[in-house]
Amino acid sequence: SEPGVEATCRLLGELTRYTALALVPGWQEHRLMHIEMAPVGDDQLLVMLVTENRQVMHSLSTVPDRPTPARLRQLNDLLNAEFGGKLLSAITPETLERAIAKLPFADASLMQQTSALVQKGLQEEQSAPRIYVEGTTHLFEQQDFSDMPKLRSLMEALHEESVFEQLFSRTYAGEMQVSIGAENPHPALGDCAIVFTSYQLTEHATGRVGVLGPKRMPYRRIIRTVDAVVHHLDQQRPASPADE
């Protein structure tokens, strides 16, 4: 999904000649399609988690006391039965240990080891939403942003995920919003206007895109452009079972 979001951002920047933004949700908003723990070599265990939008997260760990292939199969079956179709944020050390405890051969060591391995597979660093920014050079073309200290503050604000999480959380899929001047959630955005909307990235996860420019931007044209690009994104979304 990431290259698609980056390409969308770039397209919005090119079409509008302003700065385009996209906020991509972290993995907590995705659902697990499949989990697999597989032996590698003599003492390693590969953990693979596949999400509904076909993202694969994996980790390889050295495990001194590895379960037998038969027990690994039972463990995989149990984890898929318990967590398949659930949000990744539902897979916590507590829920993992509670699930594994249902196996007849489960002991404290297996529960802790499996929980740690799955958590490692979830790759904590991917948990936060990520912001893409395209077309920052367009800011230098705007007379409104010619003041260098203001421009520096604006550039810094553009890379603060929490600022745009706060702003973009105000919209639901397909709804177009405009935030102007003091309505923006950061002092450095006081001279800016932002046109933004949400779209369905997958059945359960929402992506958000916007265009940032001066307060005197041609709103009608920008709204039409954002709407057209987002409509195209919705057409590209993989069909969910409910859609078929």
Side-chain angles (χ1 to χ4, degrees), residues 182-243:
E183 296 171 359
N184 293 323
H186 194 289
L189 304 175
D191 292 329
C192 304
I194 306 169
V195 173
F196 60 99
T197 190
S198 298
Y199 63 95
Q200 288 304 118
L201 196 61
T202 67
E203 187 188 355
H204 304 285
T206 308
R208 297 175 174 91
V209 291
V211 170
L212 177 145
K215 288 192 278 191
R216 56 183 182 80
M217 69 158 82
Y219 292 100
R220 196 170 294 173
R221 179 172 70 80
I222 300 301
I223 287 168
R224 275 203 307 268
T225 305
V226 173
D227 192 46
V229 169
V230 167
H231 181 70
H232 173 71
L233 278 175
D234 278 336
Q235 303 296 311
Q236 303 303 309
R237 183 168 68 88
S240 69
D243 295 333

Side-chain angles (χ1 to χ4, degrees), residues 29-243:
E29 287 190 51
H30 293 297
R31 290 183 187 264
L32 179 73
M33 188 168 77
H34 185 74
I35 182 167
E36 187 77 27
M37 303 180 80
V40 175
D42 295 329
D43 60 353
Q44 290 188 304
L45 203 55
L46 175 71
V47 179
M48 279 199 308
L49 299 103
V50 184
T51 66
E52 60 172 8
N53 63 329
R54 301 297 193 275
Q55 279 188 317
V56 179
M57 301 173 185
H58 58 85
S59 66
L60 187 63
S61 305
T62 300
V63 180
D65 187 21
R66 195 168 66 185
T68 64
R71 287 186 168 186
L72 266 180
R73 270 197 303 277
Q74 285 182 262
L75 189 53
N76 283 330
D77 288 346
L78 175 91
L79 292 173
N80 280 294
E82 290 282 331
F83 297 107
K86 290 191 176 168
L87 289 173
L88 295 186
S89 56
I91 307 174
T92 65
E94 296 74 29
T95 58
L96 281 164
E97 291 189 19
R98 204 157 50 235
I100 297 159
K102 296 176 183 178
L103 291 169
F105 53 85
D107 57 23
S109 168
L110 178 73
M111 288 192 289
Q112 287 165 10
Q113 176 180 282
T114 306
S115 175
L117 290 170
V118 173
Q119 289 296 311
K120 186 180 171 189
L122 287 170
Q123 297 173 337
E124 207 63 51
E125 72 273 10
Q126 290 191 3
S127 65
R130 296 175 304 290
I131 189 153
Y132 288 122
V133 183
E134 286 284 350
T136 48
T137 52
H138 298 317
L139 293 173
F140 297 95
E141 299 162 8
Q142 308 294 328
Q143 276 189 315
D144 309 60
F145 303 131
S146 56
D147 180 77
M148 279 314 288
K150 276 188 178 180
L151 187 58
R152 197 177 303 116
S153 300
L154 175 55
M155 297 289 269
E156 285 170 9
L158 282 179
H159 291 88
E160 285 186 38
E161 270 88 355
S162 57
V163 170
F164 292 98
E165 266 188 278
Q166 187 185 337
L167 177 69
F168 289 172
S169 66
R170 299 179 194 167
T171 183
Y172 58 84
E175 181 193 29
M176 199 67 65
Q177 294 256 12
V178 180
S179 183
I180 303 171
E183 296 171 359
N184 293 323
H186 194 289
L189 304 175
D191 292 329
C192 304
I194 306 169
V195 173
F196 60 99
T197 190
S198 298
Y199 63 95
Q200 288 304 118
L201 196 61
T202 67
E203 187 188 355
H204 304 285
T206 308
R208 297 175 174 91
V209 291
V211 170
L212 177 145
K215 288 192 278 191
R216 56 183 182 80
M217 69 158 82
Y219 292 100
R220 196 170 294 173
R221 179 172 70 80
I222 300 301
I223 287 168
R224 275 203 307 268
T225 305
V226 173
D227 192 46
V229 169
V230 167
H231 181 70
H232 173 71
L233 278 175
D234 278 336
Q235 303 296 311
Q236 303 303 309
R237 183 168 68 88
S240 69
D243 295 333

